Amino acid sequence: MDIISQLQEQVDTIASLAFNTFGTLQRDAPPVRLSSNYPEPPLPPANPAEDMAEQSKQMSVALVKAARRFDALVTALPLSEGGEEAQLKRIAELQAENDAVGQELQKQLEAAEKELKQVVELFAQATDNCLNLKKPD
């Protein structure tokens, strides 16, 4: 797999881990009293604080590992040589090459369409000759 695909996959992994981590924290966090104007929140039925702390730690470790893997992949990207001007020049070269190939393909397409038209005409003549039982000239 190329480096860009690996980076995309790693971004997906980080997003998934973050989504699951935040959702789990939101789901399992104990209620908190926001103001003295509100009544005390009810206590959770069991004491999952130890479990939640361990799970939170594991999720954060997984998220940090994924971020480090992403950083490692970014540093593995090849450096651009020559700066922005060289990149713009290379883009212009590639665009010119693309245009030339596009023109060649267009010529080939036109030739193929012309040949197809000739084949269709010859086929029509052949079928007419067969149906009319005429001898070809």
Side-chain angles (χ1 to χ4, degrees), residues 2-13:
D2 69 331
I3 190 106
I4 300 299
S5 298
Q6 290 177 18
L7 281 167
Q8 291 170 334
E9 186 176 310
Q10 198 61 31
V11 167
D12 289 342
T13 300

Side-chain angles (χ1 to χ4, degrees), residues 4 22 33 36 40 55 60 69 83 93 112 135:
I4 300 299
F22 300 148
R33 185 175 179 183
S36 60
E40 260 321 296
Q55 189 178 21
S60 63
R69 169 97 172 108
E93 291 170 358
K135 293 183 179 179

Side-chain angles (χ1 to χ4, degrees), residues 109-125:
L109 177 64
E110 290 169 2
E113 287 174 346
K114 183 178 178 182
E115 190 173 335
L116 176 63
K117 185 177 178 182
Q118 290 173 347
V119 168
V120 169
E121 288 174 3
L122 290 173
F123 181 75
Q125 287 176 0

Side-chain angles (χ1 to χ4, degrees), residues 16-46:
S16 177
L17 285 169
F19 181 80
N20 289 334
T21 299
F22 300 148
T24 302
L25 289 174
Q26 182 181 14
R27 180 194 68 207
D28 296 343
V32 176
R33 185 175 179 183
L34 297 176
S35 168
S36 60
N37 297 334
Y38 294 105
E40 260 321 296
L43 293 175

Side-chain angles (χ1 to χ4, degrees), residues 43-117:
L43 293 175
N47 189 7
E50 295 171 7
D51 244 5
M52 192 177 105
E54 183 61 32
Q55 189 178 21
S56 299
K57 185 177 181 180
Q58 290 172 353
M59 285 190 221
S60 63
V61 166
L63 195 56
V64 168
K65 282 183 181 178
R68 286 184 179 156
R69 169 97 172 108
F70 181 82
D71 289 342
L73 288 170
V74 168
T75 57
L77 285 171
L79 296 174
S80 61
E81 298 167 3
E84 188 175 344
E85 288 182 24
Q87 289 178 355
L88 291 174
K89 181 179 177 185
R90 179 68 176 140
I91 289 171
E93 291 170 358
L94 290 172
Q95 187 63 42
E97 181 181 336
N98 187 36
D99 292 343
V101 169
Q103 289 173 359
E104 178 64 30
L105 286 173
Q106 186 63 35
K107 288 177 185 176
Q108 290 178 0
L109 177 64
E110 290 169 2
E113 287 174 346
K114 183 178 178 182
E115 190 173 335
L116 176 63
K117 185 177 178 182

